[in-house]
Amino acid sequence: MRILTFDIGGTNIKYALCNEKFVLTDRHTVATEAEKGGQELILKIISIIESYENIDRVAISTAGQVDSENGIVVYSTGNIPYYTGMMVKKIIENKTGIPTYVENDVNAFALGEAKFGAAKGKSDFLCLTYGTGIGGALYLDNKLYKGMGSSAGEFGHMITHAGGKQCTCGGEGCYECYASTRALLESVNKRNSTNLNAFEIFEKENFTKPEIRSVIDQWIDEMIIGLINIIYIFNPPLIVLGGGIMNEDYVIDLIDRKIYNLLMDNFKDVNIVRSRLGSDAALLGVAAEASEL
């Protein structure tokens, strides 16, 4: 079986071929060009699909709240304009004739980690991914918990600062305004009049500067605030953290050193780990589901 699997983010689209043994090959990354809107985004996906031959399934992990049964984006913030209501599955299947599975990106990430990664063999865990925003997923009793309207797990839009920064969701003071990777970049570059990206911030010549390190530490404290809230609500045995920023050992190590000193004793058994699959988690998660169509 040849599955063409996609992971659509606010900045980039990653895609690859996946075989029946769930090995990824022929990997590519292209710009999402999200500002052009949802219709142009789906046309881009269709163009990529049509450039391949003998594809048996299409698997799509995407930003936004997704009704995976019907393959519809039920809600999307302003990160991808005009994406809410997009009938992704129907449009792609009508155009290509290929059975298509569509899922929210963090739910897809959780499926990948459950089947192949850091949560393999676990019946209950939570996932958070840190990037342009903060996404969440709940995997409970060996399946995703999606809540009413397929919208559960919007951890990035918890209010951690009442009356705080304006968020793309229309609210104020959301967790992702302070603890996302984008929030880190904005804080570092505003305070230091620089234009560093996430990788450059952690390069030795920048990371060792006290004015940058203090911003990083404050940002990690913001991450911890949200994690503590989530732990107190769900008391999960395992939390898997994802996003490219989690490749930085300093981030996960400082979370680990600090958070357990702040939790009540009966919540300290939670195991907080980073993704084992990294950017492959969502690609593999939706590919596994698409293989069952």
Side-chain angles (χ1 to χ4, degrees):
M1 179 176 286
R2 281 164 55 90
I3 303 168
L4 187 57
T5 183
F6 293 84
D7 183 19
I8 301 171
T11 303
N12 293 311
I13 300 168
K14 300 181 179 69
Y15 64 97
L17 282 174
C18 182
N19 64 19
E20 65 278 0
K21 295 183 179 179
F22 300 104
V23 175
L24 298 175
T25 59
D26 193 34
R27 300 166 181 269
H28 299 274
T29 301
V30 297
T32 305
E33 298 180 296
E35 70 280 357
K36 293 183 178 180
Q39 187 67 43
E40 289 298 318
L41 170 58
I42 298 306
L43 290 175
K44 176 180 285 193
I45 296 298
I46 290 171
S47 177
I48 293 170
I49 296 168
E50 291 179 336
S51 71
Y52 285 83
E53 296 180 350
N54 302 317
I55 297 299
D56 299 299
R57 300 286 188 274
V58 171
I60 296 179
S61 155
T62 181
Q65 298 168 8
V66 174
D67 169 3
S68 59
E69 183 176 346
N70 297 297
I72 300 171
V73 177
V74 295
Y75 181 75
S76 175
T77 65
N79 291 334
I80 304 178
Y82 312 112
Y83 202 33
T84 297
M86 186 67 63
M87 303 175 72
V88 178
K89 175 182 170 70
K90 182 178 180 180
I91 293 169
I92 291 175
E93 289 184 343
N94 285 349
K95 182 65 176 176
T96 67
I98 302 172
T100 299
Y101 177 79
V102 186
E103 182 58 274
N104 163 268
D105 52 359
V106 191
N107 283 342
F109 172 87
L111 289 169
E113 292 294 336
K115 295 176 185 294
F116 310 106
K120 187 175 181 180
K122 305 297 184 182
S123 61
D124 298 271
F125 65 94
L126 306 180
C127 287
L128 287 91
T129 58
Y130 295 80
T132 304
I134 296 175
L138 299 89
Y139 193 87
L140 307 174
D141 196 21
N142 289 301
K143 61 182 181 293
L144 289 171
Y145 175 79
K146 298 188 178 183
M148 188 171 61
S150 302
S151 303
E154 283 289 352
F155 299 141
H157 299 292
M158 298 184 299
I159 306 300
T160 57
H161 292 259
K165 297 177 182 178
Q166 186 73 38
C167 183
T168 56
C169 74
E172 295 179 342
C174 292
Y175 182 40
E176 70 178 43
C177 293
Y178 299 87
S180 64
T181 302
R182 178 168 61 183
L184 171 64
L185 296 179
E186 290 175 350
S187 295
V188 167
N189 290 322
K190 181 178 180 180
R191 184 175 297 186
N192 298 280
S193 300
T194 53
N195 191 29
L196 300 173
N197 62 38
F199 300 105
E200 291 168 340
I201 286 172
F202 286 90
E203 290 176 351
K204 186 176 180 180
E205 62 268 27
N206 297 313
F207 182 68
T208 54
K209 294 178 180 177
E211 63 272 22
I212 289 180
R213 180 75 69 86
S214 67
V215 175
I216 294 171
D217 288 353
Q218 183 178 357
W219 168 72
I220 292 173
D221 285 342
E222 294 285 355
M223 296 174 74
I224 289 170
I225 288 171
L227 288 170
I228 288 173
N229 286 334
I230 291 166
I231 291 166
Y232 283 156
I233 294 168
F234 294 102
N235 197 14
L238 174 67
I239 298 178
V240 182
L241 304 181
I245 201 72
M246 288 301 159
N247 293 325
E248 302 294 339
D249 290 340
Y250 184 79
V251 177
I252 193 73
D253 289 347
L254 192 55
I255 290 172
D256 191 65
R257 290 202 307 270
K258 284 189 169 186
I259 196 166
Y260 294 101
N261 292 326
L262 299 171
L263 289 168
M264 290 188 285
D265 287 345
N266 54 325
F267 289 86
K268 290 184 178 182
D269 287 337
V270 59
N271 188 20
I272 302 173
V273 302
R274 62 180 155 198
S275 165
R276 189 174 298 167
L277 300 174
S279 60
D280 287 349
L283 293 170
L284 289 169
V286 284
E289 294 297 308
S291 71
E292 301 295 327
L293 293 176

